Amino acid sequence: MGRQANINWSQLLQDIQQHAVKQIARGISLVENEAAGYEQLLLSLPANHDTKIIGITGPPGAGKSTLVDALIGAVSKDGKKVGVLCVDPSSPFNLGALLGDRIRMSEWYNDPNVFIRSLATRGSLGGLHPKIIEITELMKAAAFDYIIVETVGVGQSEIEIAGLADVTVVVMVPEAGDEVQTMKAGLMEIADIFVVNKADRPAADQFVRNLRLMLAPAFNNHQREVPVLKTVALEKQGIAELYTAISSLLQETHDDTKRAWLLTERAYHLVQQKRMKDIRKDVLQQKILEQLRDDRFNLYRFVEGL
Amino acid sequence: MGRQANINWSQLLQDIQQHAVKQIARGISLVENEAAGYEQLLLSLPANHDTKIIGITGPPGAGKSTLVDALIGAVSKDGKKVGVLCVDPSSPFNLGALLGDRIRMSEWYNDPNVFIRSLATRGSLGGLHPKIIEITELMKAAAFDYIIVETVGVGQSEIEIAGLADVTVVVMVPEAGDEVQTMKAGLMEIADIFVVNKADRPAADQFVRNLRLMLAPAFNNHQREVPVLKTVALEKQGIAELYTAISSLLQETHDDTKRAWLLTERAYHLVQQKRMKDIRKDVLQQKILEQLRDDRFNLYRFVEGL
């Protein structure tokens, strides 16, 4: 639970609100490592913010990082501030997290409008980073225009990204052709935009047609048609169109239900942690062992006595 | 939880302690359904008891139910009282649980020394019945000599059965030959006795030899040699030997660590339930939605306010 740290939290928040990049990075680390007092920082975050979160997800090998890289370019060219959180362990952005070091793509290293950070998933089974909500809230205070969250679409993480992001982009490649039939319902369900990346490959057009068929409102419960866009991220093809599609969706009124669900799960978990703080399982087990040996253990009496 | 019930709990406990079969069944149902006041019954259970729990587990199709059936015969012939809890959804004993009705094997229906009860697993993913500890504690008050718990060896249930039972019997069939190499480490780990059932089949001897090799103390971390017994449960062959092996293991001093682990998990869960009783997720979600709409939601302030 973190070392004692002598930190001026209100100064730190001020610096973050001034978009001081080093202080943003420091703030994230303090939250990640649960440095003593980090809850104070989170308590003092303003609720009001205009930062939009863009979720980029999809199977491994779909080219998510290249797409994110290209998207950073488009956003940066637009004069907007963008923060990137990478919770995809297979991403090259995430090399830093794997090595216990922070590596930023050299292209953006000197761009003050671009901030890239990798987060270790820390074995939280299939989910996003355990403090992803806290970290995005902190970054919102830093007045980013966009936060891009890149994550691999497996397990729990895909419903989490849908709750976290204002718009969720699901990236696939034409090779996925046959897989689409058996594509995880989860990925279909959460996509606000579909991107078929590496669309210069032969099977691309057929794949896009199939995808559009599957996404037709008659066959699923999306409220409206889900756009399917073609990109060749490595050549920056289709990126401007993707950025336009994202921006336009972000203008629309947003349904908060998924976000409220995610926040409810997290809030419930935090209350649980707080209320169970005084109970250590190893101590319980020791007491239970003793009572078992004396043949006086009764589960409900034991629980009532805690 | 549960409907209001006008129950004389101390009379019920007395009847159960007199081994009144109908009242045992009623007590189990009340606990299963969390009838108002059931915690009182559990609180008043005596800690002292001599009932031993025999766990029977193994993959589907190993013949666990037939083996249990044969074992009931051996125990009953020995003049002992035996209760059987079936949490194996694939077992014919469990037909009752599947049909929402209680069916006892007709052979034992009129035997006052034999009590059989099926428990629905209720979707608790891979685990035993959520109230299995409570139900066995209740049955111990009824002065059974043995409680047999039959469960299919998948997922969480196998470490749970090892914590619950005083002796754990893992049942396999010779056909499992090649599978043994890849047998779940969990099943290897928890077995106090191995039974190769349907041992009249040709591959049986080879299978037993392989199993003994794998179980040699040099290759695993068992304290002592794990007996491998051959049975043909349908013909009642090897059952007397199995009963002897079980009885003899039950004489030995028992290591309580696994039991303490299971009880710790359950106790922790019960405390958590108690402490979170006032928090309803749907109410949380509604509040969160409102605050999101007013753009005044802050996770940590929200949690602090609960």
Side-chain angles (χ1 to χ4, degrees):
Chain A
M1 286 282 159
R3 312 134 289 164
Q4 192 62 38
N6 200 358
I7 295 160
N8 183 339
W9 293 102
S10 68
Q11 183 61 51
L12 179 62
L13 179 56
Q14 271 185 45
D15 292 343
I16 289 172
Q17 289 181 301
Q18 299 299 318
H19 204 78
V21 171
K22 276 191 184 163
Q23 298 311 310
I24 298 171
R26 183 162 170 243
I28 294 176
S29 295
L30 292 168
V31 170
E32 238 190 325
N33 300 321
E34 302 186 339
Y38 80 99
E39 295 101 331
Q40 284 309 310
L41 179 64
L42 296 170
L43 275 165
S44 62
L45 293 178
N48 186 43
H49 36 60
D50 300 314
T51 309
K52 297 297 182 188
I53 302 183
I54 303 167
I56 308 276
T57 190
K64 291 184 292 299
S65 316
T66 319
L67 191 79
V68 168
D69 194 33
L71 204 55
I72 294 172
V75 178
S76 170
K77 203 189 291 173
D78 196 24
K80 309 277 193 186
K81 291 194 178 68
V82 59
V84 179
L85 288 173
C86 180
V87 280
D88 176 356
S90 71
S91 166
F93 285 118
N94 206 286
L95 208 59
L98 289 177
L99 297 174
D101 188 19
R102 308 296 163 193
I103 294 173
R104 294 176 184 88
M105 294 286 283
S106 55
E107 189 181 350
W108 309 116
Y109 191 76
N110 291 312
D111 189 329
N113 284 340
V114 180
F115 175 91
I116 299 177
R117 174 66 171 245
S118 320
L119 299 173
T121 49
R122 301 218 181 144
S124 71
L125 217 118
L128 293 174
H129 188 278
K131 290 231 164 41
I132 189 75
I133 298 172
E134 285 88 333
I135 291 169
T136 50
E137 293 298 315
L138 185 70
M139 287 174 72
K140 284 179 177 183
F144 284 102
D145 295 293
Y146 300 105
I147 299 169
I148 297 177
V149 180
E150 179 195 332
T151 176
V152 67
V154 287
Q156 176 77 357
S157 72
E158 58 202 39
I159 46 169
E160 288 186 10
I161 194 74
L164 189 70
D166 296 287
V167 57
T168 304
V169 179
V170 172
V171 188
M172 318 240 358
V173 279
E175 287 70 28
D178 295 335
E179 286 170 37
V180 168
Q181 310 297 333
T182 57
M183 187 165 68
K184 297 178 62 182
L187 278 182
M188 294 293 279
E189 205 50 54
I190 61 163
D192 296 310
I193 296 174
F194 257 106
V195 164
V196 176
N197 191 29
K198 308 184 186 177
D200 51 348
R201 298 195 178 169
D205 286 332
Q206 183 59 43
F207 179 67
V208 169
R209 268 196 300 277
N210 289 345
L211 206 50
R212 286 210 170 107
L213 265 173
M214 287 188 66
L215 290 168
F219 290 108
N220 63 68
N221 49 15
H222 284 284
Q223 300 292 312
R224 42 160 198 74
E225 210 172 314
V226 178
V228 178
L229 303 177
K230 291 198 279 186
T231 61
V232 186
L234 212 56
E235 315 286 337
K236 319 264 189 247
Q237 285 174 27
I239 302 303
E241 291 79 358
L242 173 60
Y243 183 47
T244 306
I246 291 172
S247 308
S248 128
L249 271 179
L250 288 174
Q251 306 287 318
E252 290 180 18
T253 11
H254 192 69
D255 173 14
D256 280 328
T257 319
K258 285 180 195 164
R259 172 156 299 169
W261 167 83
L262 182 68
L263 291 170
T264 301
E265 291 300 317
R266 184 68 186 146
Y268 190 88
H269 182 75
L270 287 169
V271 179
Q272 216 172 34
Q273 268 188 338
K274 219 161 83 177
R275 292 190 178 177
M276 295 300 281
K277 226 176 192 164
D278 58 316
I279 306 251
R280 278 179 46 190
K281 280 194 183 175
D282 56 341
V283 176
L284 283 195
Q285 188 155 346
Q286 200 47 48
K287 282 188 200 164
I288 289 175
L289 262 173
E290 280 162 27
Q291 296 196 9
L292 282 176
R293 273 181 205 132
D294 300 348
D295 212 0
R296 60 188 168 88
F297 181 79
N298 170 298
L299 181 62
Y300 279 62
R301 281 201 293 274
F302 181 79
V303 168
E304 207 174 57
L306 288 174
Chain B
M1 296 283 161
R3 310 138 290 165
Q4 193 62 39
N6 200 357
I7 295 159
N8 183 339
W9 292 102
S10 67
Q11 182 61 51
L12 179 62
L13 178 57
Q14 272 186 43
D15 293 343
I16 288 171
Q17 290 182 301
Q18 300 298 318
H19 204 79
V21 171
K22 275 191 184 164
Q23 298 311 311
I24 299 171
R26 185 165 168 240
I28 294 175
S29 295
L30 291 167
V31 170
E32 237 190 326
N33 300 322
E34 303 186 338
Y38 79 99
E39 295 100 332
Q40 284 310 310
L41 179 64
L42 295 170
L43 274 165
S44 62
L45 293 178
N48 186 44
H49 37 61
D50 301 314
T51 309
K52 298 296 182 188
I53 301 184
I54 303 167
I56 308 276
T57 189
K64 291 184 293 298
S65 315
T66 320
L67 192 79
V68 169
D69 193 34
L71 203 55
I72 295 172
V75 178
S76 171
K77 204 191 289 173
D78 196 24
K80 309 277 191 186
K81 290 192 178 69
V82 59
V84 179
L85 287 174
C86 179
V87 279
D88 176 357
S90 69
S91 165
F93 285 119
N94 206 288
L95 207 60
L98 289 176
L99 297 174
D101 188 19
R102 308 296 163 193
I103 295 173
R104 295 177 183 89
M105 295 284 284
S106 55
E107 189 181 350
W108 309 115
Y109 192 75
N110 292 312
D111 189 329
N113 283 341
V114 180
F115 175 90
I116 299 177
R117 174 68 172 244
S118 320
L119 298 174
T121 49
R122 299 219 182 143
S124 70
L125 216 116
L128 293 173
H129 188 277
K131 290 231 165 39
I132 189 76
I133 299 172
E134 286 88 331
I135 291 169
T136 50
E137 293 299 313
L138 185 71
M139 287 174 73
K140 283 178 176 185
F144 284 102
D145 295 292
Y146 300 106
I147 299 170
I148 298 177
V149 179
E150 178 195 332
T151 176
V152 67
V154 287
Q156 175 78 357
S157 73
E158 59 203 36
I159 46 168
E160 287 185 10
I161 193 74
L164 188 71
D166 296 287
V167 57
T168 304
V169 179
V170 172
V171 188
M172 318 238 3
V173 279
E175 285 71 27
D178 294 334
E179 287 170 37
V180 168
Q181 309 298 332
T182 57
M183 187 165 67
K184 296 177 63 180
L187 277 182
M188 293 293 278
E189 206 50 54
I190 61 162
D192 297 309
I193 297 173
F194 256 107
V195 164
V196 177
N197 191 31
K198 308 184 188 177
D200 50 349
R201 298 195 178 169
D205 287 332
Q206 183 60 43
F207 180 67
V208 169
R209 267 195 300 277
N210 289 345
L211 206 51
R212 286 209 171 109
L213 265 174
M214 288 189 66
L215 291 168
F219 291 108
N220 62 68
N221 49 14
H222 284 284
Q223 300 292 312
R224 39 156 200 77
E225 211 172 315
V226 178
V228 178
L229 303 178
K230 293 197 279 185
T231 61
V232 185
L234 211 56
E235 315 286 338
K236 318 265 189 246
Q237 285 173 29
I239 301 304
E241 291 80 357
L242 173 60
Y243 184 45
T244 305
I246 291 172
S247 308
S248 128
L249 272 180
L250 287 174
Q251 306 288 317
E252 290 180 21
T253 9
H254 192 69
D255 173 14
D256 279 329
T257 319
K258 286 180 195 164
R259 172 157 299 169
W261 167 82
L262 181 68
L263 291 171
T264 302
E265 291 299 317
R266 184 68 185 144
Y268 190 88
H269 181 75
L270 287 169
V271 179
Q272 217 172 33
Q273 269 189 338
K274 218 162 82 177
R275 293 190 178 178
M276 296 299 283
K277 225 176 193 166
D278 58 316
I279 307 251
R280 277 179 48 190
K281 281 194 181 174
D282 57 339
V283 176
L284 283 195
Q285 187 155 350
Q286 200 47 49
K287 282 188 199 164
I288 289 175
L289 261 174
E290 280 162 26
Q291 297 196 6
L292 282 176
R293 273 182 206 131
D294 300 348
D295 211 0
R296 60 186 168 89
F297 181 79
N298 170 298
L299 182 62
Y300 279 62
R301 282 202 292 275
F302 181 78
V303 167
E304 207 174 59
L306 288 174

